[in-house]
Amino acid sequence: MNPPKYPASSVTPTQDTLFRHGRSISNEGSSAVAGPRLGLQAPFRDGREGRSMSNANPIFGPRGSSLAQGPPPGGFSPDLKTMTTPRSGTPRTEQGPFFSDYRPRDNERTSEQRQTDLRDQISKETKIKIGSENLLEALTSKNAKQAREQRTRVETELGSSNRKIMELTTQLEEEIERSKRPNTPPRSRLSAIFQGSPMKSPQDNDGSMQEGNPAMEESPTFVLSEILQALENEGMQPDYYVERANRLVDLFKKYPSLKYDLAWPIFGLRVQIMLLSQSREVVAAGYRVTRHAITDRRSLQTIRSLNTDELVMLSLVKESKVNIEREQALKFVRAFLDVKGGFHEISNIVLRTIVAIAEHHEDRLRNISTLTLLELLIRNPTKVVDAGGMASLTQALLDGSYPGSEGLASAILFLFDKPNDRLHLKSCHELDAAFTVFNDPIAVHSSEEKLKASASVIIALLHSWPGLYSVSNDGFAAIKGLLLSLAYPSLLARDVILDIVNAVLQIKAPSWSSSFLAGRRLTTYGRVANLKKEASPPSTANTSEDEKETRISLNEHYLALLLAVLVQSGLPQVLCKLVQEEEAESALRRKATLLHGEMLIMANRLLPQKYSSTLQVLSRLVVADDFKPANTPLHHISMTYQIDSVSRTLYRSQVASKHPFETTAQYKQQHTSRVFHSTRQQADYDMDEIKFRAAIVDTQILSHANFLKWDWNLIEELIDGPLKNPKRLNEAITGTKFLKRLLGFYRPFKYRFSGTLNTKLNQRYVRVGVSLMKSLLQSNEGIAYLWDSKFLRQLGECLSQIDRTSGFFADEPLFSNWRTSSTLTGGYFSLLGALSSDPKGLQMFERWHMINISYHIIDLRDRDDLIELLLGNMDFTLDSHLRVMLSKALTASHKHIRIFSTKLLRKYAIQAPRSETGLQSPSSVCEWAIRLLVTQLYDPEVEVSEVAVQILEESCHWKSHLEYVVSCRPQLDHLNNIGAPLLLRFLSTSLGYQYLDRLDYITQEMDDWFLGRNNSYVTLVEANLSRAFSTSLIDTSQSQANEPSIPQGNPALPPHFYRELTRTKEGCDLLHDSGHFDKFVTTIRDTWTEHEDQEAMVKLKGCLWAVGNIGSMELGASFLDDSDVVKWIVQIAEQSEVATIRGTAFFVLGLISRSLHGMEIITEHGWLTATDYYGRSIGYCLPPALGVFFSLNIEPKRADGGASRSRVKGIPPRPIADKDPVHARILESVASTGNTVLTKKAAGELNALKTRHLEAFSSVELYRKVRDMLGRYRFHLPVRRFVLDLFNRSVIREVVLDEEESESESVQTERPMGSRPSPL
């Protein structure tokens, strides 16, 4: 076969040679082209048969692999993930040179993608590490000889995981730092685009496109004209047009302003010709070029004037084998959404086609079509509803096939919020579809994926105000049905339902839950919980009133309402019934028992007495009037004991409470626990000599040299008890070798402790060592023994090995990078930290020159891990060289260490200001930390200053700390909004008020809040709540043990200017004189029924938050007496037609209840407030009747009184009248194809009509009428494809290129925006 002739004017000599030897391109394979290719690539050509390249099925690469600053508009991956499976269904390893564009490369991946990959790898290695640690723990119970080989393998794998985690964490930190730097483009940005291109000569590939080359310095307008002129050539191979289209796209990316000066009459004609091509690759290239030429809505109107709607519709209905064209067509439509107002330009015929794709289960583009409908639903719900898109979205929610089910539910909830938007919903019960899979006895046995998808939707519903109102109608029928589904004998469904309840209430499983569910006794794990007491934070029982008033958790207030709803829906009864069921799995019953215990704790802490009093009786398990073992079933007694045991263990094992501050009940429980343990320790302290000697023998230290055979639990009990008695300690030193062997275990050069792998189980050796150091420091005998021991001398020598000025060197230092991360060597710093808390211990530091060595460690630039271990474990309570060392790290180290050191100060800055017995009062330690934090405010790195502001703001919860911070007179002007929360805290005291008043800060800030910041505050609060509920189900990996952190916990209410202002008498006077409160009340009274104007609703919410923050203060509550604003807020919470406004009023009432006077006013209106044992409000209030509170009228109120929902119902297709009887018959048959019953018959009639009247299917008029029917009514995707394939292709060409007819048709039928604009 002779090669085609190509015009010399359009092809270089090298290109002409390549085209004459088509075989060489295909035979070279993937090595024929080097370097990345961007955009659509030319199709692969089979040189053996000499066929056209259009027969290939090219695959596209990820959008965004170009050198553009951002992804082009409308890009996506069709199945929400990268898919490179060819048409045959078998993955290919090599796809030729033309497919390199869709092959990911590391240098083309964005920083976010690389960070995501690193986090995934860290998560994977963390799971391997946890599994290895659990396996090691299990192997310890086996015979040492039998499990020795297994332990070796597991320890090797564990060490490998630790190293990988450390390396990946370092890479992640470097990538995050790299992403913050400004992106600098490479020297030659287009060199990679044309590298290896078969259309360019080898000279060009080798560097002719480098900077300084005259070809790169050509005018972009000239290059554009040259490309457009080259596209005029007809009869070329498809790869010719594809290559020039790619060059045109690259030109638009490099010169974005060029597309604003396009001559659309010329450019549009080239696009039309490409879109009418017979080659799918050329058509796809045409869509891509047109997509990159979009600038604004006017350009969209110009593009639509080219009759692109017809072409997009035809491309989208094609079969899956032309996905390359369908992909680009859908990308082109999605680009409309990226333009302001562009969604108005999406025609009904195109939208109907997208809806048909979303309804077609087997279509590859179904998920991205559903996503397109979701985005359009948020912006223009009327358009989606008119096109029948709500049915496909509801079906996707029902069958759980869409991977982003939470986003799908959120889009529908967006319509449920306001009455006008609820008009677009057919029944306002679309979201109940998520409960169907659990309520149906047959569907409940569905796949695990479908159950979990529905569970995610239910959790999303219950964590939003519109969703909670949508499922709480009809007496909480949906929630009751879900809980009653626990009766179905499906283990998987029952387990998922219990997980739903745990996730909804944000219950975090305790560390011992897996062992408890496995059937082990709780008493075994109480001892483990007690071991963690040393790591527990300072008791918050003495929390100041200022701090209790400051911390307001909206999250917990919402959880209190959710718990009340679940209790009223029968959760306690359902759990008790499941616990009593003997046929249920043991693990399931224990899981229900654990959930029941958590529910009782939450109810006692969050709910008012009316709701919580009936829960504690366990009426279904225990009959109070006749509680006798003979009358009560045995398993009832067993479950009652388990619930009580779970509750006590939950209290005992809460090392760090997940709530910021304790209630009185928590304090009492923990106080009782402390008294119990102190009594037990006192008994151990007074242990007699015989028992003590027997206990020493039982530890196995004297009889076995292998430390794995020692009883470490008993060793720790001896250290915490009898060894604190000087008499027993002296006996252990002089009478036995117990202490010598125990301390010898920790000597570095014996490599027993220092050679043990760093695992979760082996951390007990570190805890025992810390306890041993503290016990020895409590008596003169212990201090003398430690002073003369070889332990500290060897440890000082090992530390000197990493000090480059000490003169000690080692081939492999004990504190090398690998040893500190993989073994327990890093635990030596924990032991040194225990010594640093005592003056005698600091003297030991100085004796072995550890202070000097520590100074030199701080100067190391390549051992951040060692610096973190050193600073993170030291105790800076005493005024010593350690404080100077920390000050040096705060100022002289690099940014990472400065941030780490700043976080360390939090422990000392938030201490309670009460003086305690000791060498130094906490107030002086706190003042030292505050001084350093104030210094950090002037750090050149903003991240360091931001951390300091957060810690100072938390420290200012105490009035004394706040006054000291104000006395330091910090300057925060250079921090802008970062320092705003701290300045607001200054308003809490008269001293801070006077300081800010002299700076003229208060009046300016008051004007800003009144004129606009109130509205911004609404967005901030709602975003915080959304973030709190969206991240509650994410399993975050644990950070390093020595990494200090600022607790994020439950999101506290952001500081509000008016709330801080009303803390002082001066602030209340200023507020009264300004008249702002009266204006807030007037706005609430006048606009509380608003449900249409979005700006007015935001302003109403801002005024509600302002009133609530003012009323939450004791001084500010006096403003409530002068108005009846509380009555209006209660009315809004119970009668507003907007769900989110009701929720805002609910939160505001909780704020008002925090003040004593506000609580009295709310109680007068019938609402119930949760109080502690002393009758003080904790800031959570609930309505007296939940049924009345959730009685939201979901039936829409239509302004015209007409049946506005009729348009959302399925209307059967109706034929369009035509004078020609043949055309009328064809239109009637087309209408019948929309009926699933008549589809097959109608298709046969159409085929027969085409056989008898072939000329009728060449009529432009008939085509337009059929097209109008497809745009008005619902047709399945195969039916649309069948109907459009009946017409000759010449009809499409005539419709697209006939400018007069297309213009008139566009104006009359498809142009919703008026007349067609003229080309640019």
Side-chain angles (χ1 to χ4, degrees):
M1 182 176 180
N2 296 328
K5 302 298 182 181
Y6 298 95
S9 60
S10 301
V11 184
T12 64
T14 303
Q15 295 168 348
D16 189 49
T17 302
L18 287 171
F19 276 116
R20 289 195 181 97
H21 301 82
R23 182 186 301 272
S24 63
I25 300 177
S26 60
N27 291 342
E28 288 178 358
S30 60
S31 62
V33 180
R37 296 257 309 155
L38 301 177
L40 295 175
Q41 302 303 322
F44 187 77
R45 180 175 177 179
D46 192 345
R48 294 176 300 174
E49 301 180 12
R51 296 177 181 173
S52 171
M53 295 182 183
S54 63
N55 294 331
N57 184 23
I59 295 177
F60 287 73
R63 185 177 66 83
S65 59
S66 65
L67 299 175
Q69 291 296 328
F76 67 96
S77 178
D79 214 6
L80 300 183
K81 59 183 179 180
T82 303
M83 296 187 64
T84 56
T85 305
R87 183 175 56 185
S88 63
T90 305
R92 303 179 185 174
T93 57
E94 296 184 4
Q95 301 182 9
F98 301 109
F99 299 95
S100 60
D101 176 41
Y102 277 75
R103 191 170 296 173
R105 290 172 171 81
D106 292 339
N107 59 350
E108 296 175 359
R109 297 171 63 82
T110 62
S111 178
E112 290 79 6
Q113 291 174 331
R114 290 192 290 269
Q115 293 178 28
T116 301
D117 291 344
L118 289 172
R119 289 190 176 95
D120 292 341
Q121 295 178 35
I122 292 174
S123 176
K124 179 181 177 181
E125 293 297 333
T126 303
K127 292 179 180 178
I128 295 176
K129 175 184 175 182
I130 295 174
S132 301
E133 291 176 346
N134 292 337
L135 183 56
L136 273 178
E137 185 178 357
L139 290 175
T140 54
S141 60
K142 294 185 177 181
N143 189 296
K145 295 182 179 180
Q146 297 177 355
R148 182 178 302 170
E149 184 178 352
Q150 296 180 2
R151 282 183 60 89
T152 302
R153 291 201 302 266
V154 175
E155 289 176 351
T156 303
E157 183 66 28
L158 185 59
S160 175
S161 298
N162 287 329
R163 288 193 297 272
K164 289 181 180 179
I165 291 174
M166 184 180 64
E167 294 172 358
L168 292 171
T169 303
T170 303
Q171 295 177 16
L172 178 61
E173 294 174 353
E174 294 175 353
E175 184 61 38
I176 293 175
E177 289 294 329
R178 192 182 302 115
S179 64
K180 296 179 180 178
R181 302 170 187 165
N183 294 327
T184 303
R187 292 182 58 189
S188 178
R189 299 185 63 187
L190 291 181
S191 60
I193 297 178
F194 301 104
Q195 182 180 0
S197 173
M199 306 305 299
K200 303 299 290 183
S201 62
Q203 290 81 4
D204 289 340
N205 292 334
D206 291 340
S208 62
M209 301 300 291
Q210 298 295 330
E211 287 187 1
N213 192 312
M216 288 293 293
E217 298 175 358
E218 290 180 335
S219 170
T221 306
F222 176 78
V223 177
L224 175 63
S225 302
E226 186 183 41
I227 296 175
L228 293 179
Q229 185 178 2
L231 290 175
E232 293 182 4
N233 299 322
E234 298 182 1
M236 309 297 289
Q237 288 294 331
D239 59 343
Y240 174 84
Y241 301 103
V242 171
E243 195 273 339
R244 275 142 184 86
N246 289 337
R247 290 179 57 193
L248 190 57
V249 170
D250 297 335
L251 194 66
F252 287 153
K253 290 179 179 179
K254 185 176 182 182
Y255 303 101
S257 61
L258 189 62
K259 51 190 174 184
Y260 289 91
D261 301 325
L262 286 176
W264 278 99
I266 300 174
F267 180 78
L269 181 60
R270 304 293 180 273
V271 170
Q272 285 180 319
I273 297 300
M274 293 184 69
L275 294 180
L276 288 170
S277 174
Q278 297 289 338
S279 171
R280 66 190 72 164
E281 292 81 15
V282 176
V283 176
Y287 283 124
R288 186 166 181 261
V289 170
T290 311
R291 171 162 56 90
H292 283 83
I294 295 175
T295 56
D296 51 16
R297 186 174 177 182
R298 182 177 175 84
S299 67
L300 293 178
Q301 296 171 352
T302 304
I303 292 172
R304 285 196 61 201
S305 68
L306 303 175
N307 294 305
T308 54
D309 293 343
E310 312 286 342
L311 299 167
V312 170
M313 174 191 64
L314 292 172
S315 297
L316 291 177
V317 300
K318 290 184 179 180
E319 297 180 356
S320 298
K321 62 182 180 181
V322 291
N323 264 336
I324 183 174
E325 177 182 337
R326 301 176 73 228
E327 258 184 48
Q328 290 298 322
L330 193 51
K331 282 185 178 182
F332 170 70
V333 176
R334 285 181 56 80
F336 285 44
L337 301 176
D338 296 331
V339 178
K340 183 178 181 180
F343 58 88
H344 292 294
E345 300 301 324
I346 300 178
S347 62
N348 288 334
I349 183 64
V350 173
L351 188 56
R352 284 276 186 182
T353 307
I354 295 176
V355 171
I357 296 175
E359 293 176 346
H360 196 57
H361 292 270
E362 300 177 357
D363 199 288
R364 180 169 173 254
L365 301 182
R366 185 194 181 197
N367 286 336
I368 197 60
S369 299
T370 303
L371 178 61
T372 305
L373 293 177
L374 285 179
E375 296 180 9
L376 191 58
L377 181 68
I378 299 298
R379 305 183 186 188
N380 193 346
T382 303
K383 201 176 190 68
V384 177
V385 172
D386 289 341
M390 285 302 301
S392 62
L393 295 179
T394 306
Q395 183 61 33
L397 184 65
L398 178 62
D399 56 28
S401 58
Y402 182 65
S405 54
E406 297 91 341
L408 182 59
S410 300
I412 299 178
L413 287 177
F414 175 78
L415 300 182
F416 190 87
D417 187 24
K418 294 179 287 188
N420 290 344
D421 291 338
R422 288 198 286 270
L423 291 171
H424 303 296
L425 300 176
K426 186 175 181 180
S427 63
C428 288
H429 292 283
E430 284 81 359
L431 295 171
D432 292 349
F435 295 85
T436 305
V437 67
F438 296 101
N439 297 335
D440 190 349
I442 299 177
V444 78
H445 298 281
S446 303
S447 63
E448 182 178 0
E449 292 77 11
K450 187 174 182 179
L451 289 175
K452 290 187 175 181
S454 299
S456 300
V457 174
I458 294 174
I459 295 170
L461 293 181
L462 296 179
H463 280 172
S464 68
W465 283 111
L468 184 57
Y469 275 100
S470 67
V471 300
S472 298
N473 279 286
D474 301 329
F476 311 102
I479 300 177
K480 290 180 179 178
L482 176 67
L483 297 178
L484 291 176
S485 299
L486 284 171
Y488 295 137
S490 172
L491 177 62
L492 178 60
R494 286 177 164 185
D495 189 67
V496 172
I497 293 175
L498 293 179
D499 289 339
I500 290 175
V501 178
N502 278 291
V504 165
L505 297 178
Q506 291 189 330
I507 296 175
K508 184 178 179 181
S511 59
W512 45 265
S513 60
S514 58
S515 301
F516 172 71
L517 296 179
R520 301 181 185 178
R521 295 179 59 189
L522 288 176
T523 53
T524 307
Y525 303 95
R527 193 176 297 119
V528 176
N530 295 335
L531 293 178
K532 301 180 180 180
K533 287 190 298 180
E534 300 295 339
S536 62
S539 174
T540 55
N542 295 327
T543 301
S544 66
E545 293 299 321
D546 293 339
E547 185 173 1
K548 289 182 179 179
E549 291 179 357
T550 302
R551 285 288 181 173
I552 303 174
S553 177
L554 300 180
N555 188 19
E556 288 208 341
H557 193 188
Y558 188 81
L559 290 179
L561 180 62
L562 282 177
L563 181 60
V565 170
L566 291 174
V567 168
Q568 187 161 332
S569 299
L571 177 61
Q573 292 80 6
V574 171
L575 291 179
C576 288
K577 186 176 181 181
L578 182 60
V579 167
Q580 298 173 35
E581 186 177 337
E582 297 181 358
E583 293 79 8
E585 294 287 337
S586 175
L588 188 67
R589 295 168 60 185
R590 283 178 167 262
K591 191 171 186 177
T593 302
L594 183 60
L595 176 58
H596 199 289
E598 293 278 7
M599 180 194 65
L600 294 179
I601 294 174
M602 289 187 65
N604 185 53
R605 180 170 52 86
L606 299 178
L607 296 185
Q609 187 176 2
K610 176 182 177 182
Y611 289 96
S612 62
S613 58
T614 57
L615 297 179
Q616 311 296 335
V617 181
L618 302 180
S619 57
R620 296 186 61 88
L621 294 177
V622 178
V623 180
D625 295 336
D626 189 20
F627 179 62
K628 298 179 181 179
N631 300 333
T632 305
L634 183 61
H635 63 274
H636 284 207
I637 300 177
S638 174
M639 290 300 105
T640 304
Y641 168 76
Q642 284 197 10
I643 291 176
D644 178 67
S645 179
V646 164
S647 300
R648 286 187 285 105
T649 308
L650 283 172
Y651 277 121
R652 191 167 58 248
S653 63
Q654 274 184 337
V655 178
S657 178
K658 80 174 187 177
H659 309 289
F661 301 100
E662 296 174 345
T663 59
T664 307
Q666 288 175 303
Y667 168 68
K668 284 187 174 182
Q669 177 68 27
Q670 294 189 4
H671 176 71
T672 304
S673 178
R674 286 193 295 268
V675 170
F676 170 76
H677 289 296
S678 62
T679 304
R680 180 177 178 181
Q681 290 177 0
Q682 181 64 32
D684 293 340
Y685 181 87
D686 297 331
M687 183 181 296
D688 57 29
E689 181 180 356
I690 298 177
K691 290 183 178 180
F692 178 68
R693 286 183 175 273
I696 289 180
V697 173
D698 292 340
T699 61
Q700 305 296 323
I701 290 181
L702 302 180
S703 56
H704 293 285
N706 186 359
F707 66 91
L708 295 177
K709 297 182 179 181
W710 296 355
D711 189 345
W712 288 95
N713 293 329
L714 181 57
I715 293 173
E716 185 173 11
E717 291 181 3
L718 290 177
I719 292 174
D720 291 337
L723 289 183
K724 291 183 179 180
N725 188 336
K727 183 178 181 180
R728 296 288 168 252
L729 179 61
N730 185 46
E731 182 179 347
I733 295 174
T734 59
T736 66
K737 293 184 178 181
F738 172 80
L739 206 58
K740 178 181 178 181
R741 291 190 177 183
L742 180 60
L743 196 59
F745 166 75
Y746 291 97
R747 283 165 55 181
F749 291 151
K750 285 195 173 182
Y751 296 103
R752 306 177 76 185
F753 174 79
S754 58
T756 305
L757 288 179
N758 184 12
T759 64
K760 180 180 179 181
L761 178 65
N762 292 341
Q763 285 296 320
R764 59 180 178 177
Y765 304 138
V766 180
R767 293 193 297 268
V768 171
V770 171
S771 299
L772 179 61
M773 296 296 110
K774 292 182 177 180
S775 295
L776 292 177
L777 289 174
Q778 292 185 9
S779 62
N780 295 329
E781 292 81 0
I783 294 174
Y785 184 79
L786 197 58
W787 184 277
D788 297 330
S789 67
K790 296 180 181 180
F791 166 71
L792 290 178
R793 183 178 60 189
Q794 293 184 6
L795 189 56
E797 183 177 346
C798 293
L799 286 173
S800 65
Q801 294 175 358
I802 56 177
D803 182 4
R804 295 165 185 170
T805 64
S806 64
F808 289 88
F809 300 97
D811 294 336
E812 185 179 354
L814 185 71
F815 291 97
S816 63
N817 197 344
W818 176 83
R819 282 185 172 275
T820 53
S821 62
S822 302
T823 66
L824 293 181
T825 304
Y828 281 118
F829 290 98
S830 299
L831 274 63
L832 293 177
L835 296 177
S836 66
S837 61
D838 190 273
K840 295 294 183 179
L842 293 176
Q843 292 178 10
M844 298 178 192
F845 275 34
E846 295 177 357
R847 181 188 183 190
W848 300 113
H849 308 287
M850 293 184 187
I851 296 295
N852 295 337
I853 297 174
S854 299
Y855 275 115
H856 296 153
I857 291 177
I858 297 297
D859 293 331
L860 297 177
R861 294 296 178 180
D862 56 345
R863 292 302 307 273
D864 288 354
D865 60 323
L866 210 59
I867 298 175
E868 291 181 2
L869 283 171
L870 175 62
L871 297 178
N873 289 283
M874 293 297 110
D875 190 341
F876 302 98
T877 304
L878 301 177
D879 190 3
S880 62
H881 281 282
L882 296 179
R883 289 190 178 184
V884 181
M885 189 189 313
L886 181 61
S887 301
K888 181 179 180 181
L890 287 168
T891 55
S893 300
H894 53 80
K895 185 178 72 172
H896 175 71
I897 296 299
R898 296 204 307 273
I899 293 177
F900 179 87
S901 304
T902 305
K903 291 180 179 179
L904 287 175
L905 293 173
R906 177 184 177 272
K907 173 183 176 182
Y908 308 97
I910 64 172
Q911 288 184 2
R914 292 180 174 84
S915 298
E916 298 177 2
T917 58
L919 297 176
Q920 207 166 15
S921 64
S923 59
S924 61
V925 177
C926 184
E927 291 174 0
W928 162 77
I930 289 175
R931 287 196 301 270
L932 293 181
L933 288 171
V934 171
T935 304
Q936 294 304 97
L937 295 176
Y938 311 110
D939 192 278
E941 295 291 341
V942 179
E943 291 87 345
V944 180
S945 302
E946 186 175 2
V947 174
V949 168
Q950 293 178 9
I951 300 175
L952 284 174
E953 194 268 338
E954 187 176 359
S955 177
C956 288
H957 295 158
W958 284 275
K959 184 177 180 180
S960 58
H961 295 357
L962 175 59
E963 292 178 348
Y964 187 78
V965 174
V966 173
S967 65
C968 294
R969 307 181 67 85
Q971 299 295 327
L972 303 175
D973 296 343
H974 63 290
L975 297 178
N976 297 326
N977 293 333
I978 296 178
L982 186 57
L983 289 175
L984 288 181
R985 291 295 182 196
F986 288 0
L987 292 173
S988 302
T989 61
S990 299
L991 181 63
Y993 181 91
Q994 296 170 6
Y995 171 68
L996 295 177
D997 191 31
R998 288 194 295 269
L999 298 177
D1000 198 21
Y1001 168 82
I1002 299 178
T1003 55
Q1004 295 181 7
E1005 193 73 6
M1006 176 178 281
D1007 293 339
D1008 290 342
W1009 276 83
F1010 183 75
L1011 296 177
R1013 295 276 291 279
N1014 259 336
N1015 299 344
S1016 303
Y1017 185 82
V1018 174
T1019 306
L1020 177 62
V1021 172
E1022 293 180 352
N1024 286 348
L1025 280 172
S1026 177
R1027 190 180 305 111
F1029 285 116
S1030 63
T1031 59
S1032 60
L1033 303 179
I1034 298 178
D1035 185 18
T1036 56
S1037 59
Q1038 296 180 352
S1039 59
Q1040 298 179 358
N1042 63 317
E1043 173 72 20
S1045 61
I1046 299 176
Q1048 302 299 328
N1050 293 329
L1053 185 69
H1056 196 284
F1057 174 80
Y1058 289 101
R1059 183 167 185 268
E1060 304 301 325
L1061 186 67
T1062 51
R1063 287 180 180 272
T1064 59
K1065 184 66 170 58
E1066 298 88 345
C1068 292
D1069 295 339
L1070 179 62
L1071 178 61
H1072 183 271
D1073 296 338
S1074 66
H1076 287 183
F1077 185 83
D1078 296 334
K1079 294 178 182 178
F1080 293 149
V1081 174
T1082 302
T1083 302
I1084 294 173
R1085 186 186 301 114
D1086 295 342
T1087 62
W1088 76 274
T1089 58
E1090 181 62 47
H1091 60 269
E1092 296 182 0
D1093 188 356
Q1094 182 64 27
E1095 293 184 1
M1097 288 190 292
V1098 172
K1099 186 177 181 180
L1100 173 61
K1101 292 180 182 178
C1103 294
L1104 286 172
W1105 284 116
V1107 171
N1109 279 279
I1110 293 173
S1112 64
M1113 295 288 99
E1114 294 296 341
L1115 295 177
S1118 60
F1119 287 89
L1120 302 176
D1121 286 334
D1122 301 333
S1123 63
D1124 54 352
V1125 64
V1126 176
K1127 182 189 73 174
W1128 289 101
I1129 296 176
V1130 171
Q1131 191 170 350
I1132 292 173
E1134 296 178 350
Q1135 300 180 17
S1136 177
E1137 298 182 359
V1138 182
T1140 52
I1141 292 182
R1142 281 195 177 195
T1144 302
F1146 172 79
F1147 286 134
V1148 168
L1149 289 174
L1151 287 177
I1152 295 176
S1153 68
R1154 297 185 71 85
S1155 63
L1156 179 60
H1157 190 59
M1159 183 178 66
E1160 294 175 354
I1161 297 177
I1162 288 179
T1163 305
E1164 292 176 358
H1165 288 84
W1167 280 55
L1168 307 174
T1169 57
T1171 58
D1172 58 15
Y1173 282 89
Y1174 296 99
R1176 297 174 300 190
S1177 173
I1178 58 176
Y1180 308 141
C1181 66
L1182 294 177
L1186 292 178
V1188 176
F1189 179 74
F1190 286 105
S1191 61
L1192 179 64
N1193 184 16
I1194 62 175
E1195 291 296 328
K1197 296 182 180 180
R1198 296 174 281 276
D1200 56 356
S1204 60
R1205 281 192 181 179
S1206 60
R1207 59 184 175 86
V1208 303
K1209 298 180 180 179
I1211 302 176
R1214 299 177 182 176
I1216 299 178
D1218 195 291
K1219 296 181 180 179
D1220 190 331
V1222 176
H1223 290 185
R1225 181 59 182 164
I1226 292 175
L1227 292 173
E1228 183 178 353
S1229 299
V1230 170
S1232 299
T1233 58
N1235 190 329
T1236 55
V1237 178
L1238 305 176
T1239 299
K1240 187 174 181 180
K1241 179 180 178 181
E1245 293 179 356
L1246 287 173
N1247 286 327
L1249 289 172
K1250 184 175 182 179
T1251 303
R1252 296 194 299 267
H1253 306 282
L1254 184 60
E1255 70 283 353
F1257 291 92
S1258 300
S1259 171
V1260 175
E1261 181 182 358
L1262 177 62
Y1263 169 78
R1264 286 176 174 163
K1265 290 185 177 181
V1266 171
R1267 190 269 317 270
D1268 291 343
M1269 291 179 61
L1270 295 178
R1272 292 182 185 178
Y1273 304 108
R1274 177 177 177 267
F1275 291 88
H1276 292 295
L1277 184 62
V1279 174
R1280 290 176 177 271
R1281 183 186 306 123
F1282 168 75
V1283 171
L1284 292 174
D1285 286 345
L1286 294 173
F1287 289 89
N1288 297 331
R1289 190 166 184 84
S1290 59
V1291 178
I1292 308 300
R1293 187 177 185 89
E1294 183 177 353
V1295 170
V1296 173
L1297 297 180
D1298 189 353
E1299 297 181 357
E1300 295 182 0
E1301 294 185 6
S1302 64
E1303 179 179 354
S1304 60
E1305 182 70 11
S1306 176
V1307 171
Q1308 296 176 9
T1309 60
E1310 294 294 330
R1311 301 275 323 149
M1313 298 306 299
S1315 61
R1316 174 187 133 196
S1318 60
L1320 295 176

